[in-house]
Amino acid sequence: MMERRRMDAALLVVFLGHLATALEVPLDLLEKLPQPPTITNQSPRDYIIDPRENIIIHCEAKGNPHPSFSWTRNGTHFDIDEDSNVNMRPHSGTLVVDISREKAEHYEGLYQCTARNKHGTAVSNNIFVRQSRSPLWSKEKIKPIVVQEGVSLVLPCRPPVGLPPPIIFWMDNNFQRLPQSSRVSQSLNGDLYFSNVLREDSRNDYICYARFPHTQTIQQKQPITVKVINLDALNDTMAAFYNDTDLFSEDPLEERKPAFLIPSGPSSSKMVLRGQVLEMECIADGLPTPEISWTKVSRDFPAKRTSFLHYQKTLRIVNVSESDAGDYRCTARNRLGSVHHTIHVSVKAAPYWLSGPPRNLVLAPGENGVLTCRASGTPKPTITWAMNGIPIENSPKDLSRKVEDDTIIFTDVQTGSSAVYQCNVSNDYGYLLANAFVNVLSESPRVLTPANKVYQVVKNHQALMDCASFGSPMPRITWFKESRSSTLDGDPYILHDNGTLEIHVAQGRHSGKYTCVAQNFLGNYENHIYLEVKEPTRILKQPEYKVVQRGRSVVFECKVKHDPSLTPIMTWLKDDGELPDDERFIVDLDSLTITDVTENDVGVYTCIMNTTLDHDSASAELTVVEATPTPAVVYEKPDPPTDLELTDQKKRSVQLTWTPGDEHYSPIHKFLIQYEDSLHHRGHWHNLTEVPGTKTTAHLKLSPYVHYTFRVLAVNAVGFSHPSSSSRIYKTEPAAPDENPTGVKGFGTQHDNLVISWKPLSDLQSNGPGLHYRVMWRQQGVDSEWTTVTVANNSQFVVSGTPTFVPYEIKVQAVNDHGDGPEPAIAHGYSGEDLPLAAPRNVQAMVRNSTLAEVHWDPVLPKHTRGHLKGYKVYYRREYSIHKHNPHHVEEQILTFSGNHSHGMLPGLHPFSRYSFNVRAYNGKGEGPPSLTQHFETPEGVPGAPTSLIVTNPNLDSLTLEWSPPHDRNGHITGYTLKYQPVNNSNEVGPVEELALLANETSVTLFNLKYSTRYKFYLNAKTVRGAGPAISQEVVPIINEALISQLDVDVGTGNTQTSHPIAPSAPRHPSHKVRPVSPFGNVSSSVGEEGTLISWEYWGPEKNIYVEYIVENSEGEEEWQKELVNGSQNIMLKGLKGGLSYRVRLVAKGHHDQPLHHSEELLVTVPAVASRQVDIATQGWFIGLMCAIALLILILLIICFIQRNKGGKYPVKEKEDAHTDPEFQPMKEDDCTFGEYSDNEDHKPLKGSRTPSNGTVKRDDSDDSLVDYGEGGDGQFNEDGSFIGQYSGKTASRDTGEGHESSEAPSPINAMNSLNSFV
């Protein structure tokens, strides 16, 4: 009776197992279905961590709803919230442990993760977390090992115990691995074994290293010293000292037969687990060195899993199975004998799956199923079950569930029975844990294979069409073809259990549409599949064996037939490798050409034709021979091809073949194929295509509705051949157009029209008679129907009465008598534009500074733009200067801002002025209405230079300066600053005097000036914003000085005021002069030694200024001489000849279409001898001074001579420092020579002037330097604000010669010298 029950249970298990297998589906594709948890990722069972990094224990699971997670540690609940160092990743069960505040060893232990939702609970393996360890070697002092030559030796390693165990290797001090051989080898435990030692084994650096792979650290043992001695040699040596007495009485070691060092004894045993690696070793002692061999008693080694290492001393078998158990014998043998050792190997097994872990079950209510947990092991494992993590015996009772050892049988399951079951299989050597859920669902069928999937197979090959499905209960699959007249369940169709339909040998008739239907009692679902059976790829003409002379060309042909719907790819190989990367190898569609063949090209060439479904290949060999000498030849154009023939005629293509003409010793490079269309362009030949000179066939693609006639021309290095005779006419049939016009555009020329234009098709593109165009349009987003017109013999159409600037969708389709072209693409356009309706609002200005304002406005709304917004224009005008309050008749200025801006900058404004402005939007049609006019005022700026500076009443020691206020005041004038300084004949300047003047003053008289000394005056006006540019004058205050030179405007500001002996004068109001039409004023001249200085004022806009001059009373043929002015307002004319008078004028040149502006002519007379200085060389006081200096120099020479003879030095420096005479030239201490002396007073430097130590005046980098605004001289300000300057007339020789003198530091004595130099 018991046997009958067992048999019934077995039959039930078999039946239910088959049923359960059929229900397996990829649940990941069905995201909305309820699903119990499934563990998808977890850390390994034996998890060794790096103590230097954070601990990450993985636990990932899926399910619907998404599961929640919890952990146990060492069998108890692990409360993550109570440990601040532990966090769980969001939507995951993975733990991250921060070890920055706690040691890693604190978290060692046994962890288990639990994932649960309302449908069940899944658990992970037990994860044993341990930190890796790489301990240091214990310190020890290793004594040197002295050993006799020939004996065996073992060097122990004994590394520290680490986790995981270290990898052992022996090296020397130079980190080189010690050589190993059949005599010397490392054992599995790391010790170094010598079967016998030799004298060369003596060394002091036998070092054992242990590498710990987890932390990538290496530990080193103390070096071991080995000294090998030879007793025979030692005896001979000692005998010489002890009367041939043998010191060592023992006999020297002789050869010996083998003996095992490891393992010991005649036999041993070893246990290994199934699936692991079995390693056994035998190391023997002996002299000579024994050889090791292995055998297995009564059986052979598993050949594919066995290897011998360490010179046959180690036997290694991987992936051990139960069949590897038994006795293994190792034998050590030398010429004196042999020794054996037997190792008995037993194989145990941790649990392992026989048919895989149990699978998830999806059952419908009322169905039956089975979970199977089939496993094995040695010893036989025990199997326990749990449900949702609780032992099944402690779980709620379920009548539909029955546990039979390794199987759970479910019968008549009901909704709500879903759960996750755990199967635990364990024995002494390990365990297996698997989760499998039972999901009870009622689901109508679904087909998981993508709809309308296309399967492509090659004719006569197998075809498999999938119909993966899901449903609960499991749906039944039925296949139909085309009309569904009958199900496909017989030859040639095979229906597999998983729903796949197989056709064992597919033919063309099997192509078509297939339908698979999945059905259960809840419904059905169908899916369409398409099968395409393609023709196989075949090589019709294979490449042939070739013998070619060196330097010639060779062609391998490989003509292929393939299914026309597949794209073929031709690949050529040489000797089964890629072709050389050489431009001599030319790969064409169906051939390989090699030009200028060499011996390196010999080989086997293979052509492979691949498609996405199949391929075919063929090979041929190339042999290269030496070229035979040929006589000199004459190269000519090739003869025209002949025998033109049309074959393979189709609607849109034809194949043209021909016979090449004579090459005339110059190979043909290519053939040019031309055609004539006698229907549309009779008598006109057009180039159609080119083919390489190695081909005589061309596949020509043709257009419909053309009467083709072909001809061929050959081309070689000499040139083109004559055309061949024409082929016969080939007429292609008319057809509907293949393409539509391009360049379709929509735009408006008026505010109420839409112009639709396109590029018409050519005659060749028309494809047939009666070509016309179907023009369609509709208002975008408004009209649903297209308005259509037909247009012929035109390339545009005008739609009238359209709204202003609205978007349209446009299509233009080509049509002829044989049909319509393809569906045209939609183009977009707009009807005509009109002027914008609205003006920008909220217009306002923000003044940034005295010359810059920022204008803001609100953009015009798109509905009021009525066109493509191009941008905005700001109209602005200067109404008047706030100072004068009289209006300026200035033209309105326009500044354009392209694009959709809402603000812009107005640069170049006049300071202290009132402006008005408005803003207008503009589009492609024009400008819209202006905004409300707004006003803004610019703040005060620095004033311009005074209009004039005139010197009047020059006397011996006084003069009067008169000036006019600046033309551009740019604010309220708060005062004037007058600076002046003396200038000597070498254009060096003295100290600056500064005078502050009131705003209402227009003249000042200066007293106590030096007689016969030139002065330069600088006058500038000031506002609250600062000082403006200065106007300058230069004068000599003597009555008979007729020439007062005037220089241009410099820029300079100073804040040092000094009291001056001036006579107050009544304030004068400057006369307001009307500015002349000419932009030039105050033109003056000054004749000096280096030329004639022309100065002027200029307020025009032109940048190109010239000075022109001509001799007075010259004949009409003589031309004006011209010199360009580089941005300044003065120029030195050096080309004027003495004794002549010149007419000088200034010219301003604008654009080529603008008139020239001339100044009034100035008459300049150049004297024959230009000298303004009194000749002091004839003055008595000067002669007396020179005599005194000469006498003093003579006395100094005598004293210096006496001191040198005595070996002493005269303290000249003290007297030099005490001497205040500026004319005194000091004597140099080092060589008793004198400084440079000049009898020309004009070249004396001003000792008060400050120059760098190199004798030059450097320009200041400040923006307020005089150079940037005026003459271009080197004037600048010192750090204390005092003005210094130097004229540009210095020569390089003076800079060099007087460098030391001019570099003196300022001092009271130097200041006195500076004043005295002008006396």
Side-chain angles (χ1 to χ4, degrees), residues 44 46-50 128-133 163-165 214:
D46 194 5
Y47 187 24
I48 300 176
I49 60 172
D50 190 335
F128 190 18
V129 177
R130 296 181 293 169
Q131 73 169 11
S132 63
R133 290 175 173 82
L163 183 68
H214 204 81

Side-chain angles (χ1 to χ4, degrees), residues 272-521:
V272 63
L273 292 180
R274 178 183 182 273
Q276 294 186 349
V277 177
L278 170 63
E279 287 185 325
M280 298 175 286
E281 65 178 351
C282 287
I283 301 177
D285 164 32
L287 186 66
T289 302
E291 294 181 356
I292 306 296
S293 61
W294 291 85
T295 57
K296 184 177 182 182
V297 179
S298 73
R299 298 191 68 175
D300 294 331
F301 295 116
K304 294 182 179 181
R305 297 185 287 115
T306 304
S307 59
F308 299 95
L309 310 175
H310 305 145
Y311 304 94
Q312 303 290 317
K313 298 177 185 179
T314 302
L315 170 63
R316 190 168 192 262
I317 301 175
V318 299
N319 194 17
V320 170
S321 66
E322 288 82 353
S323 62
D324 296 323
D327 293 334
Y328 293 82
R329 176 178 293 177
C330 66
T331 302
R333 179 180 290 106
N334 65 10
R335 61 172 176 260
L336 300 181
S338 62
V339 64
H340 307 283
H341 184 91
T342 301
I343 302 175
H344 178 73
V345 175
S346 60
V347 178
K348 303 295 183 180
Y352 58 92
W353 299 115
L354 292 176
S355 56
R359 302 181 184 181
N360 297 326
L361 278 181
V362 178
L363 301 174
E367 284 194 321
N368 304 324
V370 62
L371 283 180
T372 303
C373 185
R374 299 260 174 92
S376 182
T378 304
K380 183 179 179 180
T382 59
I383 298 175
T384 59
W385 289 91
M387 185 183 79
N388 295 330
I390 301 174
I392 200 165
E393 56 269 16
N394 298 332
S395 300
K397 298 297 182 181
D398 188 350
L399 298 178
S400 65
R401 180 185 66 224
K402 182 178 182 181
V403 179
E404 293 280 352
D405 193 18
D406 61 356
T407 303
I408 300 180
I409 302 170
F410 299 92
T411 56
D412 192 20
V413 295
Q414 300 300 319
T415 303
S417 300
S418 297
V420 182
Y421 291 86
Q422 288 81 36
C423 168
N424 191 314
V425 184
S426 60
N427 65 8
D428 295 340
Y429 301 104
Y431 75 93
L432 295 174
L433 177 65
N435 292 274
F437 64 71
V438 176
N439 200 6
V440 181
L441 297 173
S442 292
E443 290 291 330
S444 59
R446 308 182 200 183
V447 175
L448 305 180
T449 302
N452 300 314
K453 185 174 182 179
V454 178
Y455 290 89
Q456 293 180 335
V457 297
V458 177
K459 184 179 179 180
N460 295 324
H461 284 66
Q462 181 190 50
L464 293 172
M465 292 175 284
D466 296 328
C467 186
S469 63
F470 171 78
S472 182
M474 182 182 69
R476 183 173 64 90
I477 303 299
T478 307
W479 283 87
F480 300 93
K481 185 176 186 295
E482 303 294 354
S483 61
R484 299 194 181 188
S485 58
S486 60
T487 59
L488 305 178
D489 55 1
D491 187 56
Y493 302 103
I494 301 173
L495 181 59
H496 293 271
D497 293 340
N498 62 359
T500 298
L501 182 66
E502 176 185 351
I503 304 175
H504 189 61
V505 181
Q507 300 296 324
R509 66 178 182 273
H510 296 139
S511 297
K513 176 181 177 182
Y514 290 79
T515 302
C516 77
V517 179
Q519 185 175 10
N520 65 14
F521 73 87

Side-chain angles (χ1 to χ4, degrees), residues 737-755:
D738 294 327
E739 54 187 311
N740 291 311
T742 58
V744 178
K745 299 177 182 178
F747 56 93
T749 57
Q750 301 294 331
H751 68 88
D752 58 352
N753 74 1
L754 171 68
V755 179

Side-chain angles (χ1 to χ4, degrees), residues 633-639 661-668 716 718:
V633 295
V634 177
Y635 299 103
E636 297 179 3
K637 297 179 181 178
D639 289 342
D662 193 344
E663 295 182 344
H664 293 293
Y665 304 104
S666 177
I668 295 175
N716 63 8
V718 180

Side-chain angles (χ1 to χ4, degrees), residues 620-694:
E621 186 177 358
L622 172 64
T623 301
V624 179
V625 297
E626 285 295 327
T628 56
T630 56
V633 295
V634 177
Y635 299 103
E636 297 179 3
K637 297 179 181 178
D639 289 342
T642 58
D643 302 330
L644 271 65
E645 183 179 355
L646 299 176
T647 59
D648 195 17
Q649 301 174 9
K650 297 180 180 178
K651 289 184 178 181
R652 297 289 186 97
S653 66
V654 69
Q655 185 165 290
L656 175 65
T657 60
W658 62 88
T659 301
D662 193 344
E663 295 182 344
H664 293 293
Y665 304 104
S666 177
I668 295 175
H669 296 160
K670 63 182 179 181
F671 291 99
L672 174 63
I673 302 172
Q674 297 179 332
Y675 74 94
E676 175 196 23
D677 180 7
S678 57
L679 180 61
H680 302 101
H681 301 284
R682 180 180 295 274
H684 294 276
W685 289 91
H686 308 276
N687 293 340
L688 181 59
T689 187
E690 294 179 353
V691 296
T694 56

